[in-house]
Amino acid sequence: MRNNPYCNNEGTWLRGSFHGHCVEHSACASIPLAESVANYENIGAGFVAITDHDHITDLSETEKNHPNLVLLQGFEYSSRENMIFVGKHVEPLFKLPLEEAIAKGSDLLTVIVHPRPHADGRDYWTKPMIEELGVLPDGIEVYNGHYGIATAVARGRQPLYAEFWDEMLTAGHRLWGFANDDFHDPEDFDNAYNMVLVNEVSQFGVIQAAKSGRCYASTGLQLESVSLDENTINVVVDAPCKGTFIGPGGQILSSAQETTNFDYIGNNEAYIRFQGEGETGRIFLQPMWLQDTEER
Ligand SMILES: [Zn+2]
Ligand SMILES: [Zn+2]
């Protein structure tokens, strides 16, 4: 159910990044495909997607060496504001106008990447641009690890897009939040990931869970549990942090410091979401819509 993506906590949590590149097929990347996939297996990832710029990288050989890792095909639509397309099998939809590509890729995971604020302050993925697509993608990066590394920050980039996410959610656009390494270079590993609650450990299972919001975004903080009883949301995380429930307009509904256990009683807000920030990193849960039963 879209109103509360966590209403059914059954399944297996898998960790992974939906956005990354390899030196073989992205001029901006420095790491070979085999090396990056091996790195992900070593840090305990359950899945990883390769999204080269306007190119679908063949993963059939890599798959043979990593039978325990779910490998996802994809590409990053790059001839205009960027968006990743990820799935079990992906067609070269980057040859089409983006509006058509999203419409044709309805079985794929589609995520707007590193939206705004953007480095030079230029118009990049504004709300009207997204509205003009006609079909809403599944989600938006709320954190892009590649834009948070020291060399990127020195160039004026920044990795956090939660404010823009709230702008979209406030306008009624139900986008899920994702955190990805967007790996290009050695320093891009293990900075940002998603925890996805899958019914089956497979490409289909990961995409289905991500498209229905049975996932959360993290840079290190992890979820222990989330529950909803009547209108009371309870969130427990794995390390003390500053935890905040946020509603329309990015309004802070409640906030607590240095604890792992957070409660909020919904008060007719159009949406409610939780985010935390502590020494071990950040966490962003998906929004919940307690007040209506309308599907997207
Ligand atoms: Zn790139
Ligand atoms: Zn990228």
Side-chain angles (χ1 to χ4, degrees):
M1 193 163 95
R2 188 135 188 136
N3 301 321
N4 171 13
Y6 302 110
C7 63
N8 172 5
N9 275 313
E10 309 269 297
T12 306
W13 285 103
L14 289 186
R15 169 189 170 150
S17 170
F18 286 110
H19 183 181
H21 303 266
C22 65
V23 68
E24 290 91 336
H25 301 293
S26 286
C28 46
S30 67
I31 301 197
L33 176 64
E35 194 182 319
S36 64
V37 175
N39 282 352
Y40 276 108
E41 179 134 46
N42 289 339
I43 62 169
F47 69 90
V48 64
I50 305 297
T51 54
D52 284 305
H53 295 286
D54 292 335
H55 181 92
I56 297 162
T57 293
D58 180 9
L59 302 173
S60 49
E61 281 305 306
T62 319
E63 235 162 23
K64 290 179 193 159
N65 298 324
H66 299 277
N68 296 321
L69 198 57
V70 175
L71 286 175
L72 294 161
Q73 267 192 356
F75 63 85
E76 181 167 2
Y77 195 104
S78 301
S79 55
R80 52 164 292 182
E81 288 78 16
N82 296 180
M83 186 182 299
I84 49 169
F85 287 67
V86 179
K88 177 176 182 173
H89 180 76
V90 180
E91 297 291 332
L93 300 173
F94 49 81
K95 293 177 179 165
L96 302 173
L98 185 53
E99 295 80 357
E100 263 179 65
I102 305 175
K104 283 207 169 147
S106 58
D107 57 334
L108 305 175
L109 177 68
T110 48
V111 179
I112 288 164
V113 295
H114 41 68
R116 61 191 289 114
H118 214 69
D120 46 12
R122 76 182 157 117
D123 273 356
Y124 188 88
W125 277 136
T126 61
K127 183 163 79 72
M129 279 180 195
I130 296 172
E131 288 166 343
E132 280 159 20
L133 293 171
V135 183
L136 197 63
D138 296 303
I140 184 172
E141 277 181 347
V142 63
Y143 194 95
N144 179 296
H146 184 56
Y147 277 40
I149 60 173
T151 49
V153 172
R155 288 168 56 201
R157 290 177 162 179
Q158 68 84 36
L160 185 62
Y161 314 103
E163 215 173 289
F164 183 57
W165 190 25
D166 282 311
E167 184 185 335
M168 294 299 294
L169 292 170
T170 302
H173 303 309
R174 297 188 172 191
L175 292 168
W176 304 124
F178 294 92
N180 295 310
D181 277 336
D182 189 7
F183 62 86
H184 286 77
D185 304 309
E187 60 267 47
D188 289 329
F189 285 103
D190 202 11
N191 295 325
Y193 57 91
N194 307 280
M195 293 297 292
V196 177
L197 184 61
V198 300
N199 293 325
E200 62 171 65
V201 179
S202 67
Q203 286 116 332
F204 176 76
V206 172
I207 295 298
Q208 190 193 40
K211 283 181 78 69
S212 52
R214 280 187 291 125
C215 56
Y216 65 86
S218 174
T219 69
L221 257 181
Q222 294 207 350
L223 183 68
E224 292 286 339
S225 69
V226 56
S227 62
L228 178 65
D229 182 14
E230 296 287 321
N231 277 338
T232 302
I233 303 171
N234 175 256
V235 174
V236 182
V237 296
D238 72 341
C241 69
K242 179 187 179 189
T244 308
F245 290 93
I246 292 171
Q251 190 198 345
I252 294 173
L253 304 173
S254 91
S255 185
Q257 303 262 10
E258 288 306 309
T259 176
T260 56
N261 198 322
F262 303 88
D263 281 312
Y264 182 70
I265 302 172
N267 186 26
N268 271 311
E269 292 88 356
Y271 75 89
I272 302 169
R273 66 176 188 87
F274 175 85
Q275 69 181 36
E277 184 179 2
E279 274 177 26
T280 58
R282 297 174 187 270
I283 186 171
F284 304 89
L285 298 191
Q286 303 302 349
M288 297 185 201
W289 293 271
L290 306 187
Q291 302 309 324
D292 65 25
T293 51
E294 189 189 308
E295 295 291 305
R296 178 160 93 160

